[in-house]
Amino acid sequence: MFRRTIDMRSATAPGHESRSAVSDPTSVVFVVDDDVSVRESLEALIRCQGWRPEVFQSAEEFLARPRLIGPSCLILDVTLPDLNGLELQKRIVDRADMPIIFITGYGDVPMTVEAMKAGRSNS
């Protein structure tokens, strides 16, 4: 079995500062999911691994948080109410330094293709 591990403690985000950003040296894993049991489970798992979890029940709630300067990634549910995960991905396309891990209970091939195309860098 092949397993890929990402060491978030060594990730950097040069040149992605903004005035509304918050600087924090601790690696943060953002979780956006409307299911409270998923949020709580991922929060416990992330904390157990030594990272700092920040959980949100909606894409809008995540977008309202000031931008973080420092290593981070986003675990994102595709099927959120209102602004869904794929729409959120399009809104934060300028955050190339923040990898996105999609999760869903209702995925299909077209959804996967859309997520991969939207995450592709054109530079």
Side-chain angles (χ1 to χ4, degrees):
M1 176 193 282
F2 176 73
R3 192 168 124 175
R4 183 175 176 207
T5 305
I6 300 172
D7 184 355
M8 299 234 346
R9 291 170 290 214
S10 63
T12 59
H16 292 284
E17 297 80 15
S18 73
R19 291 179 190 256
S20 63
V22 175
S23 180
D24 189 334
T26 306
S27 300
V28 176
V29 179
F30 297 108
V31 177
V32 180
D33 198 301
D34 59 329
D35 185 327
V36 67
S37 63
V38 172
R39 286 194 313 269
E40 289 176 351
S41 297
L42 287 172
E43 181 177 26
L45 178 63
I46 292 162
R47 189 177 317 283
C48 180
Q49 293 300 308
W51 296 315
R52 183 168 57 99
E54 287 194 29
V55 298
F56 305 90
Q57 67 180 2
S58 70
E60 292 84 358
E61 187 180 344
F62 172 76
L63 289 171
R65 186 215 189 273
R67 191 166 179 171
L68 176 81
I69 298 173
S72 65
C73 76
L74 171 61
I75 299 176
L76 178 59
D77 184 8
V78 175
T79 54
L80 296 168
D82 301 320
L83 184 64
N84 71 41
L86 295 173
E87 293 165 341
L88 176 59
Q89 179 189 28
K90 290 174 186 170
R91 289 208 185 170
I92 61 171
V93 71
D94 64 323
R95 300 186 194 188
D97 58 309
M98 184 178 59
I100 300 174
I101 301 164
F102 283 100
I103 58 174
T104 187
Y106 308 99
D108 57 26
V109 173
M111 182 186 301
T112 303
V113 170
E114 183 179 349
M116 291 178 69
K117 283 183 177 181
R120 179 180 51 207
S121 174
N122 293 325
S123 51

